[in-house]
Amino acid sequence: MNLSSTIKSIQDIMRKDDGVDGDAQRLGQLTWMLFLKVFDQREEEWEDDSAAYRSPLPERYRWRNWAAYKADNEGKKKPQFAGSELISFVNNELFPALKDQVDANRSPSHKVIKQVFEDANNYMKSGPQMLAVIEKLEDAIDFHDFKTRASLGDMYEQLLNDLRGAGNAGEFYTPRAITAFMADRVNPRLDKREMVMDPACGTGGFLTAVIDHFRNQLSAKSSAEDRRAIEALIRGIEKKQLPHLLCTTNMLLHGIDVPSQIEHRNTLGIGWNEWSANDKVDCLITNPPFGGYEDDGVGSDYPADLRTRETADMFMALIVKKLLKENGRAAVVLPDGFLFGDGIKGTLKKLLLRDCKLHTIVRLPKGVFAPYTTIKTNLLFFTRGAMVDDGSEHFHTDTIWFYEHPYPAGYKSYSKTKPIRLEEFKPEQDWWGSEANDFADRVESEFAWKVDFRTRREQAEAGAKPHWQRAEELNNAAARLEGEASELRKSLVGTSDAAYREKIDARIAELRTQAEPLRLQARDAQAAGNRIYWPIFNLDIKNPNAPEEETHDPDVLLEKYKTLLGEIEETENQLKSELAAALAHHFGPEAMAE
């Protein structure tokens, strides 16, 4: 029986068990068992290599000593536990021991075991059915067999792909075509020992793509040190137990002997100032969870202008400010909402465009992440700029290239049975060029276009500056009046002359009356400048080279109608602001003095 058939038969067995409910629990159950099985076989190899090897697992709870089928005197393989005793042993001995008796501080291997089992669960209630699962694993999986080892990783990837339909568990899986393409374009270099991180690693799809990318750089001339270095050059952090377990097993199946660098913790729960220069990496590739919100208190120590609870926004702040080295390269999956959002999203995009060179946005069509979400997504590629401390605001982004990824011929959407494929990205790879010459070889096409962000920014700054200067002047005038009122208020301290107090109070009220409209005018002038400036950070830029498609889809038409209403309102507001600014001198301090 091949591996895929084995896994299918195991899932069928679990469906009969009253304790296992749904695909996510079935996969979680299978994964911790698979982890112990594969880990045990790896330990056999390590024991052969070194007589000094000692297992991080208590001896009684190693797979070989409770799960593996043993030959009796007649050579017939039998289980070590009767079905009636097995569930009690797993629940009352095995899990408590692996959760509580393994000291994570003793070694990286101990840390891996501790993190894998600290929140793991045994869902099965039937001992005979668990024995049937163990028997299938024993018969089908021989990790010493390199043919089995190679196909096991592919089989596991397919299992994770199947998980996409399992409720929220699907959020942890990014299609292999996306992970491979992003790893290929970021191009982490093994010879330069470039460290790669995924701070929201889920089941490890990006990290396995990076491992494959590193191994493709090996040759017959590569040293044993080069091969060993791969394990030390990847780092992942995952908040939730199930994807952490899946990721750790995924690393083991992909040849990472001790995946202790896959941490089970909340990246966003790490204090802003706890991140140090040692945490910065050369390359970062991730699909941060979007649309979710962190608990109260998480991120409360972020800088005030970057404070938010929306997960993708928090990750972007961390990536730009804390995780990427200077000249470090990143690729991030983000939804359309990030591109057109304002408020904190506008602030984050300004940060991104200022501190990094955002050179490419690949716009993906709907359905890439179906059925988990039908939201359109984008792949952002950027490089962290070197710090410039000359007292001015320096933007590293001048030109942004966009590439609209089309559906394959005959497709109207992607689906679980018709997923996006890596070969579809061949046109992007051929078009890409090199960052070393600032992508000078790129050309615009039906799918590719560029935006001169520098010119847009300079024009917006020039248009907004008079309004901002006017706002500053009005605020300064108001501040002078309020300052005079404050000084007069101080002069009343210790004064009992009622007539004098009445006179001063009247003057204070007059000054504040004069200051109030100045503050209002300043606010309007500031808003007028902002309306000119901040739209440049709307990166939801449509393809100008694509032919206009006629549509009768009511949802699309309604969206276009809403967009048009928004543009009309924006134009009206801009005209009002400009009119108010033009007439403001009639209400300024000089006019009032007259």
Side-chain angles (χ1 to χ4, degrees):
M1 182 181 292
N2 63 36
L3 278 175
S4 295
S5 299
T6 297
I7 298 302
K8 185 179 183 305
S9 64
I10 287 174
Q11 291 175 315
D12 289 340
I13 293 169
M14 289 183 181
R15 285 188 179 94
K16 300 173 186 176
D17 193 293
D18 293 338
V20 186
D21 182 20
D23 288 339
Q25 287 190 358
R26 277 191 284 275
L27 185 55
Q29 178 80 25
L30 172 59
T31 301
W32 73 255
M33 298 176 74
L34 180 63
F35 174 87
L36 286 178
K37 163 73 174 172
V38 172
F39 190 80
D40 191 66
Q41 292 194 326
R42 293 310 315 269
E43 286 195 297
E44 291 176 9
E45 297 175 6
W46 300 332
E47 288 166 344
D48 289 342
D49 292 339
S50 172
Y53 176 78
R54 294 293 179 269
S55 176
L57 292 162
E59 194 66 24
R60 174 169 168 76
Y61 305 115
R62 300 173 77 177
W63 179 271
R64 66 187 70 175
N65 294 328
W66 69 271
Y69 276 49
K70 296 290 181 75
D72 60 15
N73 294 333
E74 298 176 358
K76 186 177 180 180
K77 288 190 174 183
K78 292 185 176 181
Q80 298 183 56
F81 277 88
S84 58
E85 302 171 346
L86 184 57
I87 298 299
S88 176
F89 166 77
V90 170
N91 289 339
N92 300 324
E93 294 189 50
L94 177 70
F95 267 75
L98 298 185
K99 287 174 183 282
D100 302 328
Q101 295 180 23
V102 177
D103 182 0
N105 296 316
R106 288 188 59 185
S107 75
S109 294
H110 285 79
K111 177 183 174 184
V112 170
I113 300 298
K114 181 73 172 179
Q115 289 192 337
V116 162
F117 282 94
E118 62 184 352
D119 291 318
N121 293 290
N122 171 51
Y123 297 106
M124 297 190 76
K125 293 182 178 180
S126 168
Q129 287 170 355
M130 180 177 277
L131 279 178
V133 171
I134 291 172
E135 185 176 16
K136 294 288 184 185
L137 290 174
E138 285 287 283
D139 289 343
I141 296 176
D142 179 4
F143 208 64
H144 301 312
D145 180 345
F146 280 88
K147 183 177 180 181
T148 301
R149 184 178 296 193
S151 58
L152 196 55
D154 292 337
M155 177 276 300
Y156 193 74
E157 285 287 323
Q158 184 57 48
L159 274 176
L160 299 179
N161 186 27
D162 291 343
L163 185 64
R164 293 173 72 183
N168 290 336
E171 69 186 271
F172 312 124
Y173 182 81
T174 302
R176 181 184 284 191
I178 301 293
T179 62
F181 173 68
M182 292 171 70
D184 176 67
R185 294 299 88 192
V186 172
N187 189 25
R189 294 278 298 276
L190 179 60
D191 58 345
K192 294 184 177 181
R193 297 295 190 263
E194 290 187 322
M195 175 70 74
V196 186
M197 180 185 197
D198 182 349
C201 65
T203 58
F206 283 109
L207 298 180
T208 57
V210 169
I211 291 167
D212 291 341
H213 186 77
F214 276 143
R215 286 183 177 149
N216 287 336
Q217 298 172 44
L218 294 171
S219 68
K221 297 180 180 179
S222 297
S223 64
E225 182 184 346
D226 288 331
R227 299 176 190 278
R228 287 194 301 269
I230 295 174
E231 183 165 329
L233 293 177
I234 59 169
R235 182 185 178 192
I237 307 178
E238 175 50 44
K239 172 184 177 181
K240 298 186 179 181
Q241 183 275 331
L242 174 59
H244 176 264
L245 168 60
L246 299 174
C247 182
T248 303
T249 306
N250 207 2
M251 295 298 100
L252 205 62
L253 296 177
H254 281 80
I256 303 300
D257 289 343
V258 186
S260 59
Q261 64 278 63
I262 310 302
E263 299 181 74
H264 185 196
R265 62 190 304 197
N266 183 4
T267 303
L268 301 180
I270 299 171
W272 183 262
N273 293 318
E274 290 181 44
W275 297 99
S276 70
N278 292 332
D279 294 309
K280 293 181 182 290
V281 295
D282 303 287
C283 302
L284 189 146
I285 313 177
T286 191
N287 177 9
F290 46 82
Y293 291 86
E294 281 292 334
D295 295 334
D296 291 341
V298 175
S300 59
D301 61 342
Y302 279 40
D305 62 332
L306 301 178
R307 208 163 290 160
T308 175
R309 289 173 55 211
E310 206 282 325
T311 48
D313 292 347
M314 294 179 73
F315 272 106
M316 283 302 293
L318 271 183
I319 290 167
V320 175
K321 298 300 291 183
K322 294 293 184 178
L323 301 183
L324 265 187
K325 291 180 178 179
E326 286 191 6
N327 300 313
R329 308 182 300 284
V332 182
V333 182
L334 288 169
D336 273 5
F338 182 84
L339 296 192
F340 61 72
D342 51 18
I344 184 66
K345 285 180 170 57
T347 302
L348 283 168
K349 284 179 285 188
K350 179 179 179 181
L351 175 72
L352 172 63
L353 295 165
R354 187 191 69 195
D355 292 3
C356 302
K357 177 182 177 182
L358 175 63
H359 55 79
T360 310
I361 298 177
V362 176
R363 309 212 65 176
L364 299 176
K366 288 183 178 180
V368 172
F369 291 89
Y372 167 61
T373 180
T374 57
I375 294 173
K376 289 182 68 175
T377 51
N378 307 270
L379 313 181
L380 276 63
F381 297 85
F382 52 93
T383 300
R384 183 71 162 85
M387 292 294 293
V388 177
D389 189 13
D390 59 4
S392 63
E393 188 171 52
H394 181 83
F395 278 78
H396 285 282
T397 299
D398 288 337
T399 300
I400 306 171
W401 280 92
F402 290 78
Y403 196 103
E404 189 167 48
H405 184 87
Y407 286 121
Y411 277 53
K412 291 186 177 180
S413 183
Y414 294 111
S415 66
K416 184 177 176 181
T417 56
K418 294 194 299 184
I420 192 168
R421 295 167 293 121
L422 179 58
E423 50 264 36
E424 292 178 37
F425 288 99
K426 183 66 164 55
E428 282 100 314
Q429 292 170 320
D430 293 341
W431 164 86
W432 200 266
S434 172
E435 190 172 356
N437 66 359
D438 200 23
F439 303 104
D441 298 328
R442 288 181 174 178
V443 295
E444 294 200 54
S445 69
E446 179 184 355
F447 304 111
W449 69 100
K450 65 180 177 179
V451 171
D452 184 351
F453 176 74
R454 179 176 180 177
T455 298
R456 291 182 68 191
R457 175 176 57 81
E458 290 174 347
Q459 290 174 346
E461 287 174 348
K465 190 174 181 179
H467 297 283
W468 289 340
Q469 288 176 338
R470 178 65 177 164
E472 184 178 6
E473 292 167 2
L474 289 165
N475 277 322
N476 289 340
R480 286 193 295 270
L481 294 171
E482 291 163 350
E484 184 180 344
S486 179
E487 290 300 317
L488 288 172
R489 176 63 63 192
K490 291 178 184 177
S491 73
L492 293 176
V493 176
T495 300
S496 58
D497 185 331
Y500 178 73
R501 293 186 68 91
E502 184 178 350
K503 178 182 176 181
I504 295 300
D505 283 340
R507 178 56 180 160
I508 290 173
E510 180 184 358
L511 290 169
R512 287 178 173 169
T513 300
Q514 293 175 4
E516 185 175 352
L518 297 180
R519 289 293 188 192
L520 293 174
Q521 292 170 42
R523 186 189 65 187
D524 289 343
Q526 181 70 36
N530 289 347
R531 280 193 292 271
I532 295 171
Y533 178 72
W534 283 98
I536 65 172
F537 298 107
N538 180 358
L539 302 179
D540 186 25
I541 300 172
K542 306 305 179 187
N543 183 355
N545 303 327
E548 184 70 26
E549 290 186 13
E550 185 177 355
T551 179
H552 301 288
D553 185 329
D555 291 334
V556 175
L557 292 173
L558 181 59
E559 192 62 36
K560 287 185 175 181
Y561 177 65
K562 289 179 179 178
T563 301
L564 184 59
L565 287 180
E567 291 173 352
I568 292 171
E569 183 180 3
E570 182 66 28
T571 302
E572 288 177 346
N573 289 336
Q574 190 168 340
L575 287 172
K576 288 177 184 177
S577 299
E578 292 174 357
L579 182 60
L583 297 175
H585 69 278
H586 293 297
F587 304 98
E590 300 87 353
M592 296 187 71
E594 295 174 1

